Amino acid sequence: MKAKQRRNSGKSTLADVAKMTGVSTMTVSRVLREPEKVSPQVREKIEAAISELGYVPNLAASNLASSTSRLVTMVVPSMSTPGCAEFSEALYQVLKPKGYNVILAEDHYTAADESKLIEMMLSYNPAAMVMYDFDCSEESNNLLLKSTIPVVQVGATLATPIGINIGTNYGLAIKQLINALALKGYRNIALLCAAHEHHIVQQILSGWHSSILSLNQSPHRVVSSSLPPTVQTGQRLLPDILLNWPELDLLICTSDELASGAIAACHKKGISVPAQLAIAGLGDGDIAQICSPSLTTVAIPYRPMGTQTGKHILAALHGDDVEESVMLPSTLMLRGSTAVH
């Protein structure tokens, strides 16, 4: 009986690239994993062949076969998490020139399968892992500790990080905002807090309570929603907030997106911002400057966090000593949405 012929997948292989360029498969592999160790002339020749053949390397397989991975994995609650784009772009700009790539995964603010997500990302045998605004369970922490790779927790400052912690103090950021706006005469203040990770919410609420109490006011005007911190959430929740507290003269939102949505809802209802209701946010993303009026906010240093994270990962992989905790300052940005009234 005639044996069945093995069907060709049609995909180019590492050997095809090596044959076209007249080099060994080891040299092609080195260009993919450690390009700085190959001469520019040979590297350009191999890269041209890869492009012509349409070769796609199996990074997962090569990482498992090698003790030196060129992949950094990053876990986020959602791709729409405030600052995620700015942070990941800055991180990439530091890591890419050194031959590292970044892969992102999100858990959509659901903790049910969190440890499975961490386990899956570790299966790629990454060089390091970044947790951006991400709460870890004890089970996930144990997985990360056993992996022995550099782990960077980014976002809020943490009292007991499991690895390197690079962040800002959201409690201090809220205090900056409240204290500055109280000096402008605002007294009836509310806080709109959407679905952030637990440690960030804790810092925000701690700063809120201490600041409001220092003004001899009640901190009861707080709306905590399980909805994501988006423009749509801000638009949806503002009418209920005004129904509960018609005396409100200032609404502080825990993201610029929430605040921009609240401003849009005010425009729709014919409420003048800031004459009838002032609105402020947290983050200072692009949306803060393009909404009308421009948004008073506290600038969270997303890009510096990304740059510092990249530098710390490279230093740790090189065997250098690195700071285990880095706190970056936030900056108050007073704009039209809270003009003097």
Side-chain angles (χ1 to χ4, degrees), residues 246-283:
E247 75 280 8
L248 209 64
D249 61 4
L250 170 63
L251 176 64
I252 293 177
C253 303
T254 55
S255 80
D256 290 344
E257 291 78 9
L258 276 176
S260 298
I263 289 176
C266 283
H267 292 333
K268 187 174 180 179
K269 293 177 72 67
I271 298 170
S272 176
V273 178
Q276 292 174 273
L277 178 65
I279 296 176
L282 275 181

Side-chain angles (χ1 to χ4, degrees), residues 3-304:
K4 283 187 178 179
Q5 230 179 2
R6 186 178 178 184
R7 192 162 73 181
N8 193 324
S9 67
K11 293 182 179 179
S12 299
T13 65
L14 195 74
D16 294 331
V17 177
K19 185 177 179 180
M20 175 176 278
T21 54
V23 300
S24 67
T25 55
M26 187 178 293
T27 301
V28 177
S29 179
R30 187 173 291 118
V31 166
L32 294 170
R33 293 184 291 108
E34 300 174 291
E36 70 279 2
K37 292 186 178 181
V38 181
S39 68
Q41 295 84 358
V42 174
R43 189 168 68 239
E44 288 175 12
K45 188 178 178 181
I46 291 172
E47 288 172 348
I50 288 172
S51 177
E52 184 176 339
L53 291 170
Y55 171 64
V56 179
N58 186 337
L59 288 178
S62 62
N63 286 344
L64 287 170
S66 169
S67 61
T68 306
S69 171
R70 311 300 289 183
L71 186 68
V72 172
T73 51
M74 175 174 159
V75 181
V76 297
S78 167
M79 299 300 181
S80 61
T81 300
C84 179
E86 295 96 322
F87 171 85
S88 58
E89 183 180 349
L91 175 66
Y92 182 82
Q93 287 174 349
V94 175
L95 295 179
K96 183 59 178 176
K98 300 299 181 180
Y100 290 89
N101 282 301
V102 181
I103 183 171
L104 277 70
E106 57 183 343
D107 80 338
H108 299 282
Y109 292 99
T110 57
D113 296 322
E114 175 206 300
S115 61
K116 290 182 180 179
L117 177 62
I118 300 298
E119 191 172 359
M120 183 190 75
M121 299 306 281
L122 288 173
S123 72
Y124 284 94
N125 190 29
M129 182 173 283
V130 177
M131 322 297 290
Y132 180 80
D133 277 5
F134 196 84
D135 280 335
C136 275
S137 65
E138 186 176 350
E139 185 179 357
S140 295
N141 285 344
N142 289 334
L143 286 171
L144 292 167
L145 289 169
K146 289 175 182 177
S147 71
T148 71
I149 63 173
V151 176
V152 188
Q153 293 174 283
V154 182
T157 52
L158 300 172
T160 55
I162 59 172
I164 301 166
N165 176 215
I166 297 174
T168 196
N169 190 311
Y170 281 79
L172 292 179
I174 282 288
K175 285 183 179 181
Q176 280 181 293
L177 203 51
I178 293 172
N179 292 341
L181 296 177
L183 289 175
K184 286 179 171 287
Y186 293 106
R187 287 293 177 268
N188 299 311
I189 308 171
L191 176 70
L192 172 56
C193 186
H196 301 276
E197 296 299 277
H198 182 63
H199 65 284
I200 292 178
V201 172
Q202 280 187 316
Q203 279 194 0
I204 289 173
L205 291 178
S206 175
W208 162 263
H209 278 86
S210 62
S211 293
I212 292 295
L213 290 173
S214 71
L215 297 172
N216 294 318
Q217 296 186 39
S218 170
H220 74 280
R221 296 191 192 96
V222 176
V223 174
S224 293
S225 172
S226 60
L227 295 171
T230 62
V231 172
Q232 292 76 14
T233 299
Q235 287 178 306
R236 177 176 171 179
L237 295 181
L238 182 78
D240 289 340
I241 292 170
L242 294 180
L243 188 64
N244 287 329
W245 302 304
E247 75 280 8
L248 209 64
D249 61 4
L250 170 63
L251 176 64
I252 293 177
C253 303
T254 55
S255 80
D256 290 344
E257 291 78 9
L258 276 176
S260 298
I263 289 176
C266 283
H267 292 333
K268 187 174 180 179
K269 293 177 72 67
I271 298 170
S272 176
V273 178
Q276 292 174 273
L277 178 65
I279 296 176
L282 275 181
D284 198 33
D286 292 340
I287 197 170
Q289 298 183 49
I290 63 174
C291 68
S292 180
S294 57
L295 184 65
T296 287
T297 185
V298 178
I300 304 298
Y302 301 124
R303 289 187 183 277

